[in-house]
Amino acid sequence: MMKRTLFASVAIVAAAWASVPVSAEEMKAEVIHWWTSGGEAAAVKVFADQFTKAGGTWIDSAVAGAANARNAAISRTVAGNPPTAMQLNTGKQFDELVEGGLLADIDAIATEGNWKGVMPAAIIAAATREGKMYAVPINIHGQNWLWYNKAVLASVGADEPKTWNDALAILDKLKAEGKVIPLAFSGQKNWEQNLFNAVMIGVGGAQMWTGILGKRDASLAGSAEFKAVAVTYKKLKDYVDPGAPGRNWNDATNLVIQGKAGMQIMGDWAKGEFIAAGKVADKDYGCTVLSNGHGGYVMGGDVFVFPKAKDPSTTKAQMALARLMLTPETQIQFALKKGSIPVRSDVDTSALDACAQKGMRYVADKAQQMPSGDMLAPPALIGALQDAISQYWNTNMSADEFSAKVVAALKSQE
């Protein structure tokens, strides 16, 4: 039986959406996603074009905001008026849809394409429920990248930072010079959390990351090491500008692109904005993952899931989408636009830029592969941590008080 939380978590909006008829002669796919920025729109067009080449009709249902798109797609699925396909993040967001028997499994397509042989184990696990794959992982996004404007850093005599200590020293120089915003920031809850995550993995290390999010180890959240992470995170607020609250992530990225800011911590979807602006990796901008010696590469990404369909032509469209999204050609074309790296390890990546090549090297090293928080923790815990992080960032809360809040959130999940 589907858990009540699914019905409680979304507003029923099915009445606002018209169903998309699909005849036996045609192959149509209505796809709900949240890719609306310049780089994102260029990337999703790769899928649309490939589907069109395969003889299908792509019906684009872009909904601004990831939460809004998820809620709309899930609501329609629960109400019996599902889209053909819906975008979700790699993680636990579709658990209850599987439990409710509402998603089609794509295990046969996965076996046909040898997905398990060419994708990281953590990505396969995140797409698998009850021994079957229910999602198509389409990319790997590194979530804890630092992006920087090379000319801005050069103006204060700085090279690419390697550790958080390096980055803080450069931020101090940029702040002292006073010509640009040291750290471009999007003051929204999910990006406050993303910045904290980057600090936790880079300063606290992989053991803390998996211990807190994966094992719900409250003792780690109460440790001196965790409080040191909290102090470093709060220090970063000294480098953001007064316009940060409420700013969209891509607007923060554009500050770096335009040389109005020095750095940004953001996933590699930000690179799509650099690409759309005609900027060249290692020439106009640089990229790195900060670690004080024991961090890792936080792997997230996107998946598409397919609600069960009664119409055979809809099922045909779904399986066609599942196949074409993971062809080597599509994987490379998509990565070139999106900023992510291919989820397949067996594709020719020579056309990818310098930052993507770095990402491929991180993923090739199993010791660096860190599953994203969404893969490790249930949505309820992610939400509770996000609230605590936001409150800590936006108030005078001490590191000790913040630590106690995180401890309480973890214990509530026991």
Side-chain angles (χ1 to χ4, degrees):
M1 179 180 295
M2 176 166 290
K3 297 180 180 178
R4 293 181 182 177
T5 54
L6 176 60
F7 298 96
S9 67
V10 296
I12 300 299
V13 296
W17 295 78
S19 61
V20 181
V22 181
S23 73
E25 290 76 31
E26 57 188 353
M27 187 170 64
K28 290 186 177 180
E30 185 202 4
V31 183
I32 293 182
H33 62 87
W34 58 79
W35 287 326
T36 57
S37 76
E40 292 171 333
V44 76
K45 189 175 182 297
V46 171
F47 289 149
D49 289 347
Q50 291 291 81
F51 189 64
T52 300
K53 288 180 185 177
T57 300
W58 176 283
I59 301 170
D60 198 81
S61 291
V63 179
N68 295 333
R70 283 193 298 269
N71 289 346
I74 292 172
S75 293
R76 286 183 51 185
T77 301
V78 171
N81 179 33
T84 312
M86 68 175 86
Q87 178 193 3
L88 297 173
N89 289 124
T90 309
K92 299 179 179 294
Q93 294 171 353
F94 58 90
D95 284 8
E96 292 171 351
L97 291 173
V98 173
E99 291 170 11
L102 296 177
L103 290 187
D105 82 72
I106 52 169
D107 214 51
I109 304 296
T111 300
E112 171 191 304
N114 187 33
W115 294 1
K116 295 179 182 179
V118 297
M119 295 184 193
I123 301 293
I124 292 293
T128 301
R129 301 293 183 273
E130 302 169 356
K132 294 182 178 180
M133 291 193 73
Y134 282 89
V136 180
I138 58 164
N139 59 4
I140 296 175
H141 269 308
Q143 297 183 349
N144 54 328
W145 284 95
L146 179 140
W147 306 96
Y148 62 93
N149 185 300
K150 289 181 73 73
V152 170
L153 262 63
S155 72
V156 292
D159 294 320
E160 179 174 278
K162 302 298 182 186
T163 69
W164 273 101
N165 295 333
D166 294 341
L168 289 168
I170 296 171
L171 289 167
D172 281 335
K173 289 182 179 180
L174 292 172
K175 184 178 179 179
E177 187 181 55
K179 294 181 179 180
V180 302
I181 300 165
L183 182 66
F185 189 61
S186 172
Q188 299 174 8
K189 273 189 174 183
N190 52 329
W191 306 125
E192 291 165 353
Q193 185 176 37
N194 192 70
L195 178 60
F196 180 82
N197 288 348
V199 177
M200 181 160 72
I201 189 73
V203 175
Q207 185 175 359
M208 179 181 291
W209 177 260
T210 56
I212 288 178
L213 293 174
K215 299 176 182 177
R216 328 285 198 264
D217 187 342
S219 66
L220 279 175
S223 67
E225 290 78 10
F226 183 81
K227 292 173 186 176
V229 167
V231 168
T232 300
Y233 173 66
K234 195 67 168 281
K235 182 174 175 57
L236 294 173
K237 194 170 184 180
D238 295 338
Y239 307 111
V240 307
D241 68 301
R247 178 184 288 144
N248 292 325
W249 69 267
N250 51 310
D251 293 329
T253 303
N254 280 321
L255 291 172
V256 181
I257 291 171
Q258 296 166 16
K260 296 178 180 179
M263 304 178 185
Q264 181 189 24
I265 297 290
M266 185 54 59
D268 55 15
W269 47 87
K271 183 157 65 86
E273 303 304 301
F274 283 94
I275 293 168
K279 302 302 181 181
V280 179
D282 253 4
K283 176 185 176 184
D284 302 307
Y285 67 96
C287 54
T288 190
V289 174
L290 299 174
S291 172
N292 285 1
H294 44 266
Y297 186 75
V298 181
M299 299 186 309
D302 302 283
V303 301
F304 279 90
V305 298
F306 306 99
K308 285 183 177 177
K310 296 179 182 179
D311 189 329
S313 59
T314 300
T315 302
K316 178 182 176 182
Q318 291 173 330
M319 297 305 104
L321 277 172
R323 287 187 177 93
L324 72 84
M325 286 176 169
L326 284 179
T327 65
E329 178 188 2
T330 304
Q331 283 276 289
I332 293 299
Q333 289 185 17
F334 181 82
L336 287 170
K337 299 293 186 182
K338 187 66 168 64
S340 56
I341 61 174
V343 73
R344 299 179 63 118
S345 63
D346 61 342
V347 296
D348 180 2
T349 60
S350 58
L352 299 183
D353 62 40
C355 292
Q357 298 291 350
K358 281 187 180 181
M360 294 296 292
R361 289 194 292 272
Y362 281 124
V363 172
D365 181 357
K366 290 185 178 180
Q368 290 290 324
Q369 294 179 7
M370 291 293 116
S372 71
D374 288 328
M375 294 188 204
L376 293 171
L381 178 56
I382 294 296
L385 293 175
Q386 186 177 98
D387 289 343
I389 291 165
S390 185
Q391 187 177 1
Y392 177 55
W393 178 264
N394 291 295
T395 69
N396 292 324
M397 181 186 293
S398 70
D400 286 339
E401 291 171 318
F402 171 63
S403 171
K405 278 190 170 292
V406 175
V407 167
L410 292 172
K411 287 185 174 179
S412 72
Q413 297 293 314
E414 292 178 349

